[in-house]
Amino acid sequence: MKKLNLLFIGIFSMSFMYGQDISDALRYSQDEIQGTARFRALSGAFGALGGDLSAVSLNPAGSAVFTRSYASFSVSNLDTKNDSKYFNGLASSSDTKFDVNQGGGVFVFANNDTNSPWKKFSLGIEYDKTRNFDDNWAAKGTNTNNNSIDLYFLNYADGLRLDEISTLSGESISNAYSEIGDLYGFAHQQAFLGYESYILEPDSNDDANTTYFSNLANGTFNQNYTYASTGYNGKITFNAAVQYEDNLYLGINLNSHLINYERTTLLYETNSNNGSLINEIEFDNTLSTTGTGFSFQLGGILKLSNEFRVGLTYDSPTWLTIEEETSQYIATVYSTDSPVIINPQIVNVYPSYKLQTPGKLTGSIAYIFGEQGLFSFDYSRKDYGSTKFKPTSDSFFASQNNIMSNELTDASTYRFGAEYRVKQFSFRGGYRFEESPYKDGVTVGDLNGYSLGVGFNFGNTKLDITYDQAKRSYQNQLYNIGLIDAAMVDNKNSNITLSLGFNI
């Protein structure tokens, strides 16, 4: 392999080292209902209410609604269940996790000048987990489309020189895999794995060869694919708000975003097709992602009367810087020989890239009937088609941005909440509906969720507990190239959240 002669070319192919795609962008663009138990009990319909720590992270004007300084902390138990269908196969999986998902406080400062229209101002800091990535599902079935994982490697190998995807004489698998990644990038590494595991054969055995065929014969393929992920999106909010006269609240949030995501996928494929020299393939991929980002929010709440309130919030785009690492492993059974194992034991560290997720506008209305309770409604809209990888001058990122613009769309979210008080008890419920971010409405389906909760007011201390559930269906492609058959996954997330709040 003529690595040194092609070093200059390798430097210019760095942006192609790992192929970010629409699923990566969407993963960090969507939020979930997280936060305090009271916030979740009303399905997040808090934009015109305020007076709750998680409501502050939704509408920054909400901290000025507090009459006293206040703090709260929340823990939750998440139960995730996935039912999947892949060709003739059905599978189910579930997982449970206990987590701390909210904490923060707000400090309220009253203005002692009774002649001033500015009644009070508030400062707050809040942490909310905005999305939980803990998930696992399986796709098991017999692929009758004549699609094998060999198509993944063939697609990557097509047009690449043989001497760029193979080892030198006496060179180790690890060294070759590492140097190919450094010089040529991710696509060459995939072709290398396919060639060295005997899935691929060159049409001619010379360095300049650029065409390949598979050692797997046409037919059906038994495929068992597992997906497991962990991690979270988190948001640390620094808040400031003011109350003007008796009916107007204004606020601003400066948000620091955190990403921690890890994913492992494993495909085990077998076949008994006549003429196949490869009868078993095991392909393992691990991705580790970290990121940081910034956004801001501007919000207001207006009391139209003692009963009616309206709210308006603008969420800026979130500007993220993301770093990724991968590792891979493949094993095959070639003819009747012993297994061929290609385990480079190399962690690929890729250059960081930037992602701009879409902004959002939220309008809210609430009706409060005295001390007895309230009704609230929030409507928000987000244009997922405006999501962008950066720099946009990069040709690969430009093509992905064009795909997102064509496939993603504006999506509306509707949230309803209600609360009824009986002495120290509060009984709560909510419903939410989120439209699919995809134009086809199928790749990611609409979300439906509901919530029920109860709270007890001890005076200076409040204890709240909530149960909420949300359902959504997904079409998950196994890979973004070659083996692109999709598993249909029905996801159900159930949460029990407990919050403790107290006056400071």
Side-chain angles (χ1 to χ4, degrees), residues 82-93 138-142 488 490:
N82 290 305
D83 295 319
S84 63
K85 181 179 181 181
Y86 183 69
F87 290 97
N88 63 334
L90 302 174
S92 294
S93 61
K140 303 177 182 179
T142 301
M488 177 59 74
D490 295 325

Side-chain angles (χ1 to χ4, degrees), residues 188-251:
H188 283 71
Q189 284 181 321
Q190 308 317 293
F192 169 82
L193 293 176
Y195 175 73
E196 293 295 340
S197 63
Y198 298 104
I199 294 174
L200 309 182
E201 294 288 352
D203 285 348
S204 60
N205 196 25
D206 64 73
D207 288 347
N209 176 81
T210 59
T211 57
Y212 304 85
F213 64 92
S214 172
N215 276 322
L216 282 76
N218 291 338
T220 60
F221 300 89
N222 299 314
Q223 294 166 341
N224 186 341
Y225 178 93
T226 57
Y227 172 104
S229 64
T230 60
Y232 63 91
N233 269 5
K235 182 173 75 171
I236 301 174
T237 296
F238 301 91
N239 166 265
V242 295
Q243 179 184 345
Y244 182 80
E245 295 292 355
D246 293 324
N247 61 347
L248 180 63
Y249 307 87
L250 301 170

Side-chain angles (χ1 to χ4, degrees), residues 324-397:
E324 294 178 324
E325 299 178 358
T326 66
S327 60
Q328 297 182 290
Y329 165 95
I330 190 167
T332 62
V333 175
Y334 179 71
S335 190
T336 58
D337 296 337
S338 299
V340 177
I341 298 175
I342 308 298
N343 186 11
Q345 296 182 318
I346 295 293
V347 175
N348 299 300
V349 181
Y350 300 106
S352 63
Y353 66 93
K354 297 185 183 299
L355 176 67
Q356 179 182 312
T357 70
K360 182 174 67 174
L361 192 65
T362 303
S364 311
I365 187 169
Y367 177 78
I368 301 173
F369 43 101
E371 296 294 324
Q372 289 183 300
L374 58 89
F375 294 105
S376 62
F377 169 70
D378 282 12
Y379 170 80
S380 62
R381 193 161 184 85
K382 182 185 287 190
D383 179 13
Y384 288 95
S386 65
T387 309
K388 290 182 174 62
F389 289 111
K390 293 186 174 183
T392 56
S393 58
D394 183 288
S395 59
F396 176 75
F397 285 162

Side-chain angles (χ1 to χ4, degrees), residues 196-468:
E196 293 295 340
S197 63
Y198 298 104
I199 294 174
L200 309 182
E201 294 288 352
D203 285 348
S204 60
N205 196 25
D206 64 73
D207 288 347
N209 176 81
T210 59
T211 57
Y212 304 85
F213 64 92
S214 172
N215 276 322
L216 282 76
N218 291 338
T220 60
F221 300 89
N222 299 314
Q223 294 166 341
N224 186 341
Y225 178 93
T226 57
Y227 172 104
S229 64
T230 60
Y232 63 91
N233 269 5
K235 182 173 75 171
I236 301 174
T237 296
F238 301 91
N239 166 265
V242 295
Q243 179 184 345
Y244 182 80
E245 295 292 355
D246 293 324
N247 61 347
L248 180 63
Y249 307 87
L250 301 170
I252 183 173
N253 285 343
L254 302 179
N255 304 311
S256 177
H257 296 262
L258 308 170
I259 293 175
N260 190 309
Y261 173 73
E262 292 188 7
R263 180 188 70 207
T264 298
T265 63
L266 173 64
L267 176 73
Y268 179 66
E269 178 183 286
T270 63
N271 76 89
S272 56
N273 302 328
N274 291 331
S276 276
L277 298 180
I278 299 286
N279 299 116
E280 295 182 43
I281 300 173
E282 183 178 308
F283 185 36
D284 182 280
N285 286 269
T286 299
L287 168 68
S288 178
T289 304
T290 57
T292 57
F294 171 80
S295 70
F296 67 89
Q297 296 165 282
L298 302 173
I301 297 174
L302 177 64
K303 284 185 179 180
L304 300 177
S305 66
N306 288 333
E307 294 82 16
F308 284 101
R309 297 182 185 182
V310 295
L312 184 66
T313 308
Y314 169 73
D315 289 66
S316 77
T318 301
W319 296 276
L320 295 165
T321 300
I322 298 174
E323 298 178 343
E324 294 178 324
E325 299 178 358
T326 66
S327 60
Q328 297 182 290
Y329 165 95
I330 190 167
T332 62
V333 175
Y334 179 71
S335 190
T336 58
D337 296 337
S338 299
V340 177
I341 298 175
I342 308 298
N343 186 11
Q345 296 182 318
I346 295 293
V347 175
N348 299 300
V349 181
Y350 300 106
S352 63
Y353 66 93
K354 297 185 183 299
L355 176 67
Q356 179 182 312
T357 70
K360 182 174 67 174
L361 192 65
T362 303
S364 311
I365 187 169
Y367 177 78
I368 301 173
F369 43 101
E371 296 294 324
Q372 289 183 300
L374 58 89
F375 294 105
S376 62
F377 169 70
D378 282 12
Y379 170 80
S380 62
R381 193 161 184 85
K382 182 185 287 190
D383 179 13
Y384 288 95
S386 65
T387 309
K388 290 182 174 62
F389 289 111
K390 293 186 174 183
T392 56
S393 58
D394 183 288
S395 59
F396 176 75
F397 285 162
S399 68
Q400 293 301 307
N401 293 341
N402 185 59
I403 291 172
M404 288 190 289
S405 178
N406 291 331
E407 295 190 14
L408 300 180
T409 187
D410 292 343
S412 296
T413 298
Y414 307 83
R415 299 177 180 176
F416 302 86
E419 181 178 71
Y420 185 74
R421 302 186 187 101
V422 179
K423 295 183 179 180
Q424 290 91 356
F425 288 94
S426 296
F427 301 94
R428 303 164 183 142
Y431 171 77
R432 62 184 170 122
F433 175 79
E434 297 180 15
E435 293 180 338
S436 168
Y438 275 85
K439 291 180 180 179
D440 64 18
V442 176
T443 305
V444 173
D446 297 333
L447 180 145
N448 283 276
Y450 71 90
S451 51
L452 296 169
V454 63
F456 188 82
N457 190 338
F458 295 93
N460 286 327
T461 304
K462 297 178 181 179
L463 184 66
D464 302 302
I465 187 169
T466 292
Y467 173 82
D468 64 271

